[in-house]
Amino acid sequence: MPTANIAGRDIALNDEGFMTEPTQWTEEIGTFLARQIGIDPLTEEHWKVIRFLRSDFDAQGETATLRRVSTVAGIGTKDLYTLFPGKPARKMAYVSGLPKPKGCV
Amino acid sequence: MKRLLVLGAGTAGTVVVNKLRPRLDPAEWQITIVDQDACHHYQPGYLFIPFGIYRRRDVERPRRDFIPAGVEMVLGRIEEIDPQAQRVTVAGGRHLDYDYLVIATGTHPDPSQTPGYEGAAVGDGIHQFYTLDGAVALYERLKSWEGGRLVVNIMEFPFKCPVAPLEFTFLADWWFRERSRRDKVEIVFATPMSEVFTKPVAARHLTGVLESKEIAVETDFYVERIDADAGALVAYDGRELPYDLLVTVPVNLGAEVVARAGLGDELNHVPVDKGTFLSTQHGNLFAVGDAAALPTSKAGSVAHFSVEVFAENFPRYVEGLEMLERFDGHANCFIESGFGKGLLIDFNYDTEPLPGKYPLPGIGPFSLLQETVTNHWGKMMFRWVYWNLLLRGREIPLPAEMSMYGKER
């Protein structure tokens, strides 16, 4: 299992670079990860999404899907594509230190 | 007298009453099952209708034929579920009070979730095969379709029978080749996922099958709307995918009455414990089959295997005893691939579909993740098994729990 030294801490990552220990995450690490994928700076809109993802993961044990973010947090899918361009579901999870959302079979 | 109320007489609900009636003393337990209409559909059969392999009569039977003696069947639309009052209201105002409630109301395609799907401009270019009427209309359309670009797309995950859209592309490839029209048809499979299937080993096998059949794949394609006038799917990232014939899998939602009762998640599926199906909100409420929010396939096999676990647990639970069985997420799907062949996948919450033999290790007769004629016949014979054994809760020699024997890592 690879680790990386981020903000002075050893952080566990999987081979795709996603954090494997969500409890290791801090806002500082989130900012660092966002910069890795070209999102800089993180605006208040970004943080709103990240905070929802973090608290929803604590409650549900799973990373919220785009639809869940739009229905439960009220942040539209179009906006999520603007904030996290390309593959928003993966990018949101990556920055928030969570596993990428499972598309159920 | 204690009252068990089951909502929905589809696969899961019907097997629940068939399994529980013999296990619950008729002197102590009244069992009632409600459905809005009188007709049970063999939903796996919808796939074959557009290609003329099955007809309407092959997939319909009266629901009552599968409800055992000693179970009351109520026909009527479910208007309201009140978990506090422990009462369900059906159309016409009849109240059904319960001590225990099992929600088995399934999940259903909802075109209204996609802008541009409904309305006068849609014309004859947009089809789906997830309802019997839709499958029959597509049969009529395919008969006279001249050719062009056929796009098969998935709007949202999860949806029921997750391999069906792939099977549809395989069968379409076969069907047009049989009619010497394949050179006039371009087939494109578009999915919001990054791969054609969610599990890596199966995705590799299925990608190979798609390539061999010259079916193009468009991944990460999350549809924002249908531009019916232009004849194109428009994705959130701005990509457009033009079609001449669109066969779509609409967004699937659980029953609206579940949402109104405050029992659903963002897709109206009921959050439950994934091992026992007990509601996370109410101690006398379970959800089984597609209606439940479980991290496994929405499929008849899951409904069947999970209800076997539920039926073992429920009589203990109502006695105040611990539920000993835990569902492992076992799913098992034949994948029809055309030309009289099929694949089979067998997996659970923790183990992805792997190659091997099933159900007897090394023998089969079915082969996992390989195209064989035997798998195809397994799929075709399954309709008989469904009507005669599975729905009636009779023993099928396939254990509810997944086994690693016969699988190759």
Side-chain angles (χ1 to χ4, degrees), chain B residues 59-354:
Chain B
V59 299
E60 285 187 320
R61 297 277 187 280
R63 289 194 199 274
R64 275 186 200 286
D65 289 1
F66 305 96
I67 305 302
V71 173
E72 185 195 8
M73 170 123 199
V74 174
L75 276 185
R77 203 181 142 72
I78 301 157
E79 300 281 355
E80 196 193 349
I81 304 168
D82 185 342
Q84 270 71 40
Q86 298 181 206
R87 167 179 279 194
V88 167
T89 308
V90 293
R94 181 171 171 195
H95 297 301
L96 301 167
D97 294 307
Y98 65 81
D99 297 295
Y100 291 90
L101 184 69
V102 176
I103 296 180
T105 41
T107 191
H108 305 279
D110 186 347
S112 74
Q113 295 292 311
T114 306
Y117 192 151
E118 294 179 311
V122 167
D124 205 20
I126 305 178
H127 284 265
Q128 55 91 17
F129 60 91
Y130 270 80
T131 63
L132 185 48
D133 288 343
V136 171
L138 183 51
Y139 166 70
E140 295 297 333
R141 186 71 195 93
L142 280 181
K143 271 199 300 195
S144 61
W145 191 49
E146 296 288 328
R149 179 186 273 185
L150 165 65
V151 172
V152 179
N153 100 291
I154 297 161
M155 291 291 182
E156 179 67 281
F157 281 79
F159 62 94
K160 59 183 156 184
C161 199
V163 291
L166 279 171
E167 294 180 280
F168 185 89
T169 65
F170 298 156
L171 284 173
D173 167 74
W174 160 77
W175 196 82
F176 289 118
R177 282 187 207 273
E178 289 281 294
R179 281 153 190 78
S180 306
R181 278 159 58 195
R182 186 63 176 90
D183 57 333
K184 297 186 176 62
V185 179
E186 182 192 355
I187 305 179
V188 182
F189 176 74
T191 169
M193 308 292 297
S194 295
E195 301 218 51
V196 297
F197 200 66
T198 45
K199 313 277 178 153
V201 174
R204 277 203 301 278
H205 281 263
L206 292 166
T207 301
V209 178
L210 285 160
E211 279 170 6
S212 73
K213 295 180 189 299
E214 297 168 305
I215 295 164
V217 176
E218 193 79 24
T219 54
D220 295 303
F221 199 88
Y222 192 38
V223 172
E224 181 188 2
R225 63 191 170 88
I226 301 177
D227 185 343
D229 293 328
L233 290 173
V234 182
Y236 276 106
D237 62 9
R239 275 181 290 166
E240 293 197 11
L241 187 55
Y243 59 79
D244 297 299
L245 179 62
L246 174 64
V247 176
T248 187
V249 180
V251 176
N252 275 218
L253 292 183
E256 216 254 315
V257 67
V258 167
R260 281 207 307 277
L263 295 168
D265 66 6
E266 66 278 8
L267 292 165
N268 304 349
H269 300 135
V270 184
V272 292
D273 179 273
K274 69 178 191 177
T276 64
F277 321 109
L278 180 63
S279 158
T280 52
Q281 293 183 63
H282 300 279
N284 64 344
L285 196 156
F286 292 83
V288 292
D290 292 346
L294 294 174
T296 185
S297 291
K298 296 205 172 292
S301 60
V302 172
H304 163 223
F305 293 136
S306 62
V307 169
E308 295 212 338
V309 171
F310 170 73
E312 288 298 321
N313 281 334
F314 186 75
R316 287 182 57 87
Y317 183 72
V318 298
E319 300 262 319
L321 300 170
E322 189 193 346
M323 293 192 269
L324 293 177
E325 305 284 329
R326 287 196 63 82
F327 183 54
D328 65 352
H330 190 190
N332 177 301
C333 311
F334 286 106
I335 306 176
E336 189 67 10
S337 60
F339 301 93
K341 290 186 180 175
L343 295 89
L344 177 65
I345 53 176
D346 190 62
F347 55 104
N348 68 12
Y349 289 141
D350 304 316
T351 307
E352 63 172 314
L354 296 169

Side-chain angles (χ1 to χ4, degrees), chain B residues 354-363 368 403-408:
Chain B
L354 296 169
K357 293 285 183 184
Y358 183 87
L360 300 175
I363 296 171
L368 297 167
S403 165
M404 275 308 291
Y405 292 112
K407 292 191 173 63
E408 301 153 20

Side-chain angles (χ1 to χ4, degrees), chain A residues 28-50:
Chain A
E28 198 183 354
I29 292 171
T31 308
F32 176 87
L33 293 172
R35 223 177 286 137
Q36 296 293 305
I37 54 171
I39 300 175
D40 189 21
L42 284 172
T43 64
E44 190 44 39
E45 278 77 37
H46 289 104
W47 283 112
K48 220 175 121 188
V49 176
I50 295 166

